[in-house]
């Protein structure tokens, strides 16, 4: 198997189901990362067997696979710093349903965001995060599924969290821009500090504090330095594009298909050198 598999997040574009699988295949990508939102509680999105079946059929038709799923709740719900029981219950249900859907799609991992409103900012939120991550990761591990955490924490804080969770099936999902936009962190150095515990990678770029505000390599987050750190590391696995092509700063450059094609081509140009 080749060292890297290239993919795109569902929320990067507006296509869904068969159309999204076809688009990914056209851009020479291998996989997708899907989002699980509260619409599933009303029978929408991946709460419908029809859409699940459409993805499964289209994946087979276009040679694409579902890499992982992620609950989409960090702007509204939290289990680390909830503002009420109902909010906490909603967050927990979304994570647990995400794990169940990961099993249906045959995913080897799922992405658990522990950031923004669901982040860690003090001792109480740290301990709540640890207890819930233990609960979720145990449930996932029973089905051979790893838990990959997306965190806006220093490398030292990440290590402390992983030590407290004490589960080898829990790893880090590295993001190439989040901490740069939030704190000015040098992302290549951050990757190197955590290389041995990274299970997946989001790639996006932007100028200053604007997340996904540019195509890959056209922002200020040090994309090429981060790419070099990845190439020089022992990491192998997914490289998932998380650019958001309908953002105003990016959408003026072309339509979503064209922009995804440019980012996908850049990944192949940079990372395929390792396969030569």
């Amino acid at each position: 198997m080749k060292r890297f598999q290239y993919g795109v997040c569902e929320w990067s574009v507006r296509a869904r189901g068969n159309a999204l699988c076809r688009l990914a295949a056209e851009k020479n990508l291998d996989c997708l990362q899907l989002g699980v939102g509260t619409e599933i509680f009303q029978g929408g999105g991946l709460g419908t067997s029809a859409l699940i079946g459409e993805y499964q059929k289209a994946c087979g038709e276009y040679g694409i696979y579902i890499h992982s799923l992620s609950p989409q709740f960090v702007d509204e719900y939290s289990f680390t710093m909830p503002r009420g029981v109902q909010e906490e219950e909603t967050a927990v249900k979304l994570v647990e349903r995400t794990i169940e859907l990961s099993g249906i799609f045959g995913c080897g991992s799922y992405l658990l965001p522990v950031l923004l409103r669901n982040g860690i900012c003090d001792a109480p939120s740290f301990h709540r995060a640890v207890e819930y991550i233990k609960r979720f990761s145990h449930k996932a591990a029973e089905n051979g599924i790893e838990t990959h955490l997306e965190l806006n924490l220093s490398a030292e804080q990440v290590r402390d969290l992983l030590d407290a969770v004490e589960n080898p099936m829990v790893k880090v999902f590295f993001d190439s821009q989040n901490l740069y936009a939030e704190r000015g962190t040098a992302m290549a150095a951050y990757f190197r500090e955590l290389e041995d515990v990274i299970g997946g990678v989001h790639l996006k770029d932007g100028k200053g504090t604007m997340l996904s505000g540019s195509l890959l390599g056209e922002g200020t987050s040090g994309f090429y330095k981060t790419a070099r750190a990845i190439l020089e590391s022992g990491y192998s696995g997914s490289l998932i594009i998380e650019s958001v092509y309908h953002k105003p700063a990016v959408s003026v450059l072309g339509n979503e298909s064209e922009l995804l094609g440019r980012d996908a081509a850049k990944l192949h140009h940079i990372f395929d050198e390792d396969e030569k």
Side-chain angles (χ1 to χ4, degrees):
M1 178 182 286
K2 62 182 182 178
R3 179 180 176 187
F4 300 115
Q5 296 81 53
Y6 308 125
V8 64
C9 295
E10 178 191 63
W11 50 94
S12 291
V13 296
R14 301 182 209 198
R16 295 292 183 268
N18 183 83
L20 178 55
C21 292
R22 182 178 67 249
L23 178 62
E26 288 173 352
K27 306 310 176 188
N28 201 19
L29 297 174
D30 305 298
C31 58
L32 300 172
Q33 187 173 70
L34 306 182
V36 183
T38 54
E39 68 275 0
I40 65 168
F41 300 135
Q42 290 77 45
L46 290 176
T48 67
S49 58
L51 184 57
I52 292 172
E54 183 178 340
Y55 271 117
Q56 292 172 325
K57 180 180 179 182
C59 282
E61 181 177 351
Y62 295 109
I64 296 292
Y65 69 93
I66 305 301
H67 172 274
S68 53
L69 293 91
S70 177
Q72 306 289 283
F73 65 89
V74 295
D75 293 325
E76 300 178 72
Y77 304 99
S78 173
F79 56 77
T80 64
M81 298 182 289
R83 299 174 186 173
V85 173
Q86 185 174 358
E87 177 181 332
E88 182 176 352
E89 289 179 347
T90 299
V92 170
K93 287 178 181 177
L94 271 174
V95 176
E96 292 181 338
R97 184 57 179 151
T98 298
I99 295 170
E100 292 169 3
L101 286 165
S102 297
I104 291 172
F105 281 110
C107 302
S109 65
Y110 76 101
L111 172 61
L112 178 60
V114 186
L115 70 171
L116 302 180
R117 185 160 172 171
N118 191 53
I120 296 172
C121 64
D122 54 22
S125 57
F126 176 88
H127 293 299
R128 289 177 66 84
V130 168
E131 291 309 307
Y132 270 118
I133 293 167
K134 285 182 175 181
R135 170 178 164 177
F136 298 143
S137 60
H138 176 75
K139 178 181 177 69
E142 289 180 331
N143 295 293
I145 299 170
E146 292 186 342
T147 297
H148 290 175
L149 307 176
E150 187 171 15
L151 303 157
N152 282 357
L153 300 174
S154 70
E156 182 180 2
Q157 290 171 321
V158 170
R159 297 281 185 185
D160 288 343
L161 181 64
L162 294 179
D163 287 345
V165 171
E166 293 184 299
N167 187 336
M169 294 284 281
V170 177
K171 298 180 180 178
V172 173
F173 207 101
F174 170 84
D175 185 281
S176 69
Q177 193 204 0
N178 283 352
L179 277 174
Y180 166 78
E182 184 177 288
R183 306 179 190 176
T185 299
M187 299 312 300
Y190 186 75
F191 179 91
R192 289 189 171 98
E193 287 183 273
L194 294 173
E195 173 191 339
D196 60 304
V197 293
I198 291 174
V201 172
H202 272 161
L203 293 176
K204 63 177 182 275
D205 202 352
K207 297 175 181 178
T209 60
M210 182 183 292
L211 291 173
S212 301
S214 70
L215 296 182
L216 299 179
E218 298 182 12
T220 59
S221 67
F223 172 77
Y224 290 108
K225 291 181 180 179
T226 300
R228 178 51 52 190
I230 294 170
L231 281 166
E232 292 174 351
S233 74
Y235 174 77
S236 62
S238 63
L239 300 175
I240 308 291
I241 296 169
E242 201 188 17
S243 302
V244 180
Y245 300 112
H246 54 266
K247 280 201 168 185
V250 179
S251 63
V252 296
L253 303 176
N255 64 48
E256 292 182 358
S257 177
E258 293 169 342
L259 298 177
L260 175 59
R262 287 168 62 178
D263 272 351
K266 184 154 291 182
L267 288 195
H268 282 284
H269 176 72
I270 294 173
F271 293 99
D272 281 359
E273 72 175 63
D274 197 68
E275 309 293 331
K276 298 173 184 176

